[in-house]
Amino acid sequence: MTTHAHQESLTPAEHRAYWEDRYSGEHMWSGNPNGPLVEALTVRPVVGETALDLGCGTGADAIWLAQHGLRVTGVDIADAALRQAAEAASSAGVADRIEWARADLDDWEPDRTWDLVLASFLHSPAVSDRAPLLDRVREWVAPGGELIVLSHLRAPEWREPHDMHLPSLREIEKCLGRPGWSVESAGETVTDMPSPEGAPGTRVDTLVRVRRAAS
Ligand SMILES: C[S@@+](CC[C@H](N)C(=O)[O-])C[C@H]1O[C@@H](n2cnc3c(N)ncnc32)[C@H](O)[C@@H]1O
């Protein structure tokens, strides 16, 4: 994600407009599912049938999950992102397995739970601390289900550092590892990310999987 001016003081309407604007131009992401997530779920697949993708953007992770047998709900603050996501799901032949919902997660209150809840790079220049949201998200995970949080930790060397707080692995583990939850895995992942001009670079992310007790 490129660096943008820090936007801590945005109202909810401005926050939405910020993301609508970012998605209104050229396609922002690669269209491929996130590598560290695919790797983690290939080693240990999801147990269950349903998944919720928080801040799903243009839908690549949601589509990958649907292609692997899950019924998926993808939520994002930006309609413009969801339009691209729906188009990509149709092209991939999984439109009937994914429901897209436009909502601001900061006040969204779903009335159901999912076997997997995923937050892939749910970063925003407007929000420095995702802990309050992750606290609410816990309730959206079905008993026995899991929550996966994939976060950026360090931008590639050729790119300016992110202009927002990026939580350390310890911070995320501390936030997610509560009574009634077990940390199934927590680690840093390194992904090759050369610059558009071909200069070498690596990005460091964190991936934490926690499971809710079955009852
Ligand atoms: C860095 S992008 C990541 C997109 C996607 N998960 C991925 O990994 O490619 C962050 C996404 O979160 C969404 N987002 C940020 N704040 C949100 C909020 N409060 N409610 C819903 N979506 C939000 C943005 O619109 C954006 O699509």
Side-chain angles (χ1 to χ4, degrees), residues 107-126:
D107 61 18
W108 196 50
E109 291 181 0
D111 56 6
R112 55 165 289 193
T113 57
W114 289 264
D115 299 315
L116 166 67
V117 176
L118 168 67
S120 282
F121 304 128
L122 184 55
H123 300 296
S124 181

Side-chain angles (χ1 to χ4, degrees), residues 27-61:
H27 281 226
M28 280 222 294
W29 318 121
S30 68
N32 297 322
N34 286 305
L37 176 75
V38 169
E39 217 169 283
L41 291 182
T42 303
V43 172
R44 183 148 27 95
V46 178
V47 178
E49 296 176 351
T50 60
L52 170 65
D53 185 1
L54 304 169
C56 62
T58 50
D61 287 349

Side-chain angles (χ1 to χ4, degrees), residues 75-91:
V75 182
D76 203 279
I77 197 168
D79 257 333
L82 294 177
R83 278 196 297 275
Q84 292 177 31
E87 247 175 59
S90 293
S91 302

Side-chain angles (χ1 to χ4, degrees), residues 184-212:
E184 301 223 312
S185 67
E188 292 180 7
T189 66
V190 178
T191 303
D192 280 334
M193 202 173 175
S195 74
E197 296 75 32
T202 49
R203 190 186 81 205
V204 182
D205 303 316
T206 58
L207 192 144
V208 180
R209 294 177 82 161
V210 290
R211 188 170 297 282
R212 185 176 188 172

